[in-house]
Amino acid sequence: MRLVTWNVNSVSARLPRVLELLAAEAPDVVCLQETRVSSDAFPHLPLAEAGYQAVGHGLGGRNGVAVLARDDHVLEPVCTGLPGEPRPDEARWVEADVDGVRIASVYVPNGKAVDAPEFAGKLAFLEAMAERAGELVASGAPVVIAGDVNVCATDADAWDIAALHGGTHATPQERERLALTTAAGYTDAYRAIHPDEPGFTWWDYRGLAFPRGEGLRIDQVLLGGGLDVALADARVLRELRKGHKPSDHAPLLAELTG
DNA sequence: ATGACTTGCTATGCAAGA
């Protein structure tokens, strides 16, 4: 199974690049974040023409998540929303089963600034995610949690830890709470394959951040329920951060055997 | 050139992203 996670910063604005990804990599599963469309307005038709079915969860405007599966798989919607999340109206979590593998696409809140009320909401969301992650592995089925976790797990995940706006994304509070999910029995796929590479997945649109290499590794594929032994490769699809109208995130691809 | 933000909306400027 080839699984991609990608924060697209609007699936409508990014549709040509999403179709480019599907044509170039033919992934089995794609988790999208920041789709920024309501579930009703999700672009099912052009994706179907490209050979993909989708479960979208969104309320328009901001946020929104989705799971795509290639047509030769069975995609079954499971649930939307994360039990215990502070803002269920923000559409940041969706689960679907693909050939019996549970897939969760997640968009963790940004948190804005350490002293902002949104920061406490981010911490609460990360706690709810860890809780759900534990439930999922306890069910015994293989599970993938993939998405924009909006946290640099270590200093190696940022080009300049001192430059992070408002001090967010690398605080001990955020890291401890993200670590609750991995402690529940998940493997960070990219780090498992590349222990010493930055693996950045996001670069600011401003200030030539991408060509300067000023990025963050804030998107992750987390493997649970025994899927870690199937991990064969993981890589950042940097080509999609280049060219016409890119997202500010690059897709992250994980390859699993079987 | 990997090239100096981008998106959708409380819209014609603004907040938010990280």
Side-chain angles (χ1 to χ4, degrees):
Chain A
M1 172 190 278
R2 290 152 59 78
L3 179 140
V4 170
T5 184
W6 193 11
N7 179 323
V8 288
N9 184 20
S10 170
V11 72
S12 311
R14 217 63 59 214
L15 191 58
R17 303 307 302 263
V18 172
L19 296 174
E20 182 184 340
L21 165 74
L22 300 179
E25 300 290 342
D28 297 87
V29 178
V30 181
C31 295
L32 299 178
Q33 302 85 37
E34 274 206 270
T35 53
R36 304 182 70 167
V37 289
S38 64
S39 302
D40 290 347
F42 195 84
H44 288 285
L45 188 56
L47 294 173
E49 287 169 348
Y52 284 80
Q53 13 170 8
V55 174
H57 173 44
L59 302 161
R62 319 203 66 79
N63 316 317
V65 286
V67 176
L68 277 53
R70 215 176 50 215
D71 277 340
D72 54 321
H73 298 289
V74 177
L75 174 69
E76 298 170 280
V78 174
C79 61
T80 60
L82 183 60
E85 66 180 317
R87 293 287 306 272
D89 56 318
E90 289 190 341
R92 295 177 176 277
W93 182 273
V94 62
E95 291 178 29
D97 281 336
V98 178
D99 296 347
V101 178
R102 179 63 51 89
I103 309 289
S105 178
V106 59
Y107 177 39
V108 173
N110 172 292
K112 246 181 210 175
V114 173
D115 56 359
E118 287 86 350
F119 189 73
K122 179 180 191 175
L123 299 181
F125 186 97
L126 287 166
E127 288 169 10
M129 179 168 82
E131 196 69 25
R132 181 63 180 157
E135 287 176 14
L136 291 173
V137 289
S139 75
V143 49
V144 180
I145 299 175
D148 179 353
V149 299
N150 259 323
V151 178
C152 298
T154 73
D155 287 359
D157 295 344
W159 93 98
D160 181 357
I161 212 73
L164 297 180
H165 184 90
T168 59
H169 291 69
T171 64
Q173 300 100 299
E174 290 161 287
R175 287 177 172 174
E176 283 163 14
R177 282 163 181 80
L178 178 61
L180 294 174
T181 290
T182 39
Y186 291 79
T187 297
D188 175 350
Y190 186 86
R191 266 291 164 262
I193 297 287
H194 305 284
D196 300 316
E197 289 178 42
F200 298 155
T201 59
W202 173 89
W203 301 260
D204 201 309
Y205 280 125
R206 296 162 290 187
L208 293 171
F210 183 61
R212 292 183 198 276
E214 298 175 351
L216 303 176
R217 189 178 79 95
I218 51 174
D219 298 271
Q220 292 195 9
V221 172
L222 297 167
L223 305 174
L227 277 182
D228 55 322
V229 301
L231 178 62
D233 194 20
R235 56 197 163 93
V236 179
L237 305 178
R238 296 173 54 89
E239 292 302 313
L240 282 155
R241 182 59 179 80
K242 308 174 186 177
H244 185 61
K245 282 182 66 119
S247 171
D248 47 355
H249 294 248
L252 171 62
L253 170 72
E255 293 202 34
L256 307 176
T257 57

